[in-house]
Structure formats: C-alpha cells, structure tokens
Amino acid sequence: MIKVKPLVSIIIPTYNRAHLIGETLDSITAQTYKNWECIVIDDGSTDNTSSLMDGYLLNDSRFQYHHRPKNRLPGGNAARNYGFELSNGEYIQWFDSDDLMHPEKLETDVVNLQSGNYDFTISQSDFFDENGKIKNKYWNENLWSNEALTDFIKKNIGWGINSCLWKKSILINVRLIFDERLQNGQDYLFNIKALLENLKPIIINEVLVHQRNHQSKIEHNTIKSKSKYLIFSYLLKKLNNKEINEELKNYLIKKSLKILRNLYKTKNWKTALIFSFQLSKSSINGKNIIAIIKLFILGSFYKLTSRGYSYL
C-alpha cells in the first residue's frame, strides 16, 4: 500500500511585490516534494499582484489567492494568521513573498520532522542581493545551544521564520499565532513563544532558504520602538517570578530600560508610563528602580518642554 505524503501548507503574505513574488512562487513550483498547497494572502496591494496571481492559479491548482479581510488589522501578521485559518495541511511552512526556497527544502524538512518526536524543524538561510550575489552566508552561524531561550533572546543563536516547518497540530495545541499588532520583530516573538512552550526542534545544518536583501525593510524608529515595547512587555509578564539565569535577567532589564528611554524620546507618553509601571513591579527589575524614576523625570521634562533630549 502506497503511503500518502502529508500535505504541507505554505502561507505567504504579500503587499505590492508583483515584481518579486513570481520568483518566490517559481521556487515553490520547483520543489521536489509535490504534496503542498500555497496560500497567498494579499495585504492590500495596489500593483498588478492580482493579475500576476491569475496566471499561477490557472496553471497550478495548488496555488490559492485570497485578500486579508477588511475586519483584520493591516499587516503581514494578520495575513499569516488568516492563511493559517484557511490551511488544510498537516504541516505549516511560513514564507515571505520576496525569498526563495531551495528545491529540496520541503522534502528535507518533512523527512527530518518525521524522523522522531519533533515539533518543528530549523534550517539555515543565506542572504543575496539584487544581483543574486550572496551577501551573508548564514542567518546566524549558531542555530541551537544548551540555553536556547536565553541565547535566542540575546540573538546568540537564531533563525528566520522561513526556515522552519511546523506541525500544525502543535501550533493549535499551544495557540501559537502571530501578534497582529507588531510591524517589526514578529518572527522573533513567534519563535520565543515556541521556546517558552518547550517545543522540540530538529536542527538541519543546511541552507534551505535564500533571503533577499533589499531596501524595503521597516526602519521607522516609532514603529521599531512600539514593537520592541510589545515584545519585551510580553517577556516581562511571561518571565515575572520565574527562575531565569542572571545573564538573561540582566539582558532583559538593560534592554527594557533602553526601550523605555526610546519611548520617552519618541513621546509615546502613555506607553512609557505603562511600561515604567510594569518594569517597577517586575521581579526582573532588581535594583533598577532609580533608573526608572530618572527616566520618568527626564521623560516628563522632555514631554512638557521639548528640551533635555540629550539627557535622555
């Protein structure tokens, strides 16, 4: 009796990437593993993404094209979550609309995921420029360590969201979805949540994803500041009163104080006050209450007078 290979759901959010997504979809069509569905979720494109997708839908029934519902927050995370809700696969592959899969990516992942009691795979990525030249050989040379949570948060180890293949049942069981409020750092938080749930990966030290380096990255300071606040606010809540090593504790408070300072600098007054209160109550805080008070005073002065930026 022939064993049916499990269906892999590839979920791709896209926004105005008609000039790039074709290469991405071609790399999916070229997969040696054939039992997949590819769900493209349009986040509101105004270019010719729709007409380009028509060709792929006509030529291959494994492709789907949907639009993010208007009652969902704009952004790739809501698109990913919506794609997940539509998916039928046993396995989930998140992917970006400007990157490329190695031809054996899915096949390698499926074989490894089925080789033991694992929840997801982790493989390597490299980075290429607009001329196809490799710019960085690895996302991070180290994919795993004995202190995975600490080292991932500190970015001593790391991997991209494209690099993993997930068991869908596990994601459902632990209710692991993307935070739709984030516009930056969403894959960082997603993977942290997986580590906090003690999900078990199998490590594949091969480059299976080629990521495109280009200029359309989110760099706006206000967006980055808000996203970092949301991520570290989550960590402070999740790790409060938990036994964590001093290395991680010191890192969290150092980064949190920096985030708090930047919230005051960007005049996110309400968020800064909320985060100040959370920091002051957190068990991670230690003896840093004086620093929090100083930031509050300097932030208040800057808020009222628009002066004192350098002191912040």
Side-chain angles (χ1 to χ4, degrees), residues 184 218-229 259:
N184 186 268
I218 297 173
E219 295 294 343
H220 195 289
N221 285 338
T222 303
I223 290 174
K224 290 178 72 176
S225 181
K226 182 181 179 182
S227 294
K228 286 180 179 179
Y229 153 69
I259 291 165

Side-chain angles (χ1 to χ4, degrees), residues 165-182:
L165 184 71
W166 301 83
K167 287 182 178 177
K168 184 179 181 180
S169 59
I170 293 297
L171 297 178
I172 292 172
N173 287 345
V174 300
R175 299 180 181 179
L176 182 52
I177 60 174
F178 288 92
D179 189 326
E180 298 184 7
R181 301 169 298 170
L182 290 180

Side-chain angles (χ1 to χ4, degrees), residues 82-97:
Y82 181 58
F84 182 74
E85 293 162 16
L86 297 175
S87 66
N88 296 299
E90 184 177 335
Y91 298 145
I92 298 293
Q93 172 68 64
W94 311 110
F95 215 71
D96 290 335
S97 59

Side-chain angles (χ1 to χ4, degrees), residues 6-167:
L7 178 66
V8 175
S9 294
I10 307 163
I11 300 170
I12 303 177
T14 192
Y15 176 74
N16 285 347
R17 288 271 177 79
H19 59 301
L20 296 174
I21 193 174
E23 291 182 62
T24 301
L25 302 183
D26 289 346
S27 76
I28 291 169
T29 304
Q31 290 296 299
T32 56
Y33 189 89
K34 301 300 182 183
N35 194 23
W36 52 261
E37 61 176 5
C38 180
I39 304 170
V40 177
I41 308 295
D42 198 315
D43 189 37
S45 297
T46 56
D47 62 2
N48 64 324
T49 296
S50 180
S51 58
L52 181 140
M53 286 302 306
D54 285 343
Y56 283 91
L57 297 174
L58 184 64
N59 292 327
D60 195 328
S61 62
R62 293 174 295 179
F63 286 109
Q64 300 177 35
Y65 180 55
H66 305 273
H67 293 270
R68 171 186 49 78
K70 292 182 179 179
N71 63 347
R72 306 288 281 265
L73 287 173
N77 294 323
R80 288 185 181 94
N81 289 340
Y82 181 58
F84 182 74
E85 293 162 16
L86 297 175
S87 66
N88 296 299
E90 184 177 335
Y91 298 145
I92 298 293
Q93 172 68 64
W94 311 110
F95 215 71
D96 290 335
S97 59
D98 57 341
D99 298 329
L100 307 176
M101 283 189 189
H102 184 284
E104 296 179 3
K105 203 274 186 212
L106 296 182
E107 186 167 9
T108 302
D109 277 340
V110 170
V111 168
N112 277 274
L113 198 52
Q114 291 181 327
S115 68
N117 187 28
Y118 302 109
D119 300 314
F120 66 108
T121 66
I122 300 173
S123 61
Q124 275 290 6
S125 303
D126 62 21
F127 295 81
F128 66 96
D129 63 18
E130 294 177 0
N131 298 315
K133 183 179 178 181
I134 299 296
K135 300 294 290 184
N136 299 93
K137 191 175 181 181
Y138 299 123
W139 177 284
N140 190 308
E141 287 192 13
N142 302 306
L143 291 177
W144 198 251
S145 75
N146 292 329
E147 295 287 341
L149 178 62
T150 296
D151 284 332
F152 188 88
I153 291 173
K154 294 184 66 179
K155 301 184 179 179
N156 294 330
I157 64 172
W159 56 88
I161 199 66
N162 296 345
S163 299
C164 305
L165 184 71
W166 301 83
K167 287 182 178 177

